Amino acid sequence: MTNPTNAPAKNTAAFFAMAGISFAVALLSLMMAVLYLDAEPWAKAFLALGTLFLTTSAFTLAKCVRDNQESQSVVHRLDQARVDRLLAEHDPFRAVS
């Protein structure tokens, strides 16, 4: 069945929980691997900072992709066209009656 409003599908609570748990397990296992690595402290710190930078960059990339998809949706484009038309027709100097 098609969705007439072209609204994006909502994720279920189970999918959201699975994504959160898998992210936490992956990040914790990587940090534990860095912690127990047989290396100098400066090398461990370098790897930990790299992990932190990679994690924050992944969140930023995911947000950019999501924002791009939302801006390309048909509903958003129609709403933007309506707003543009209203702004074009608006005359702020017209006397209010």
Side-chain angles (χ1 to χ4, degrees), residues 3-88:
N3 191 351
T5 61
N6 290 332
K10 297 283 185 178
N11 291 331
T12 63
F15 180 76
F16 188 75
M18 184 212 52
I21 290 169
S22 64
F23 171 75
V25 168
L27 185 60
L28 287 175
S29 62
L30 183 58
M31 292 307 290
M32 292 297 291
V34 168
L35 181 66
Y36 288 110
L37 182 67
D38 187 26
E40 296 290 322
W42 68 266
K44 289 181 181 182
F46 179 77
L47 292 173
L49 284 175
T51 300
L52 179 66
F53 181 64
L54 180 64
T55 303
T56 57
S57 297
F59 279 110
T60 303
L61 177 62
K63 182 188 177 307
C64 290
V65 168
R66 184 201 63 202
D67 291 347
N68 189 30
Q69 285 178 339
E70 286 178 354
S71 70
Q72 298 297 323
S73 71
V74 173
V75 173
H76 182 271
R77 286 187 284 164
L78 288 174
D79 289 340
Q80 186 63 39
R82 287 184 189 120
V83 169
D84 290 342
R85 188 188 76 212
L86 287 172
L87 288 174

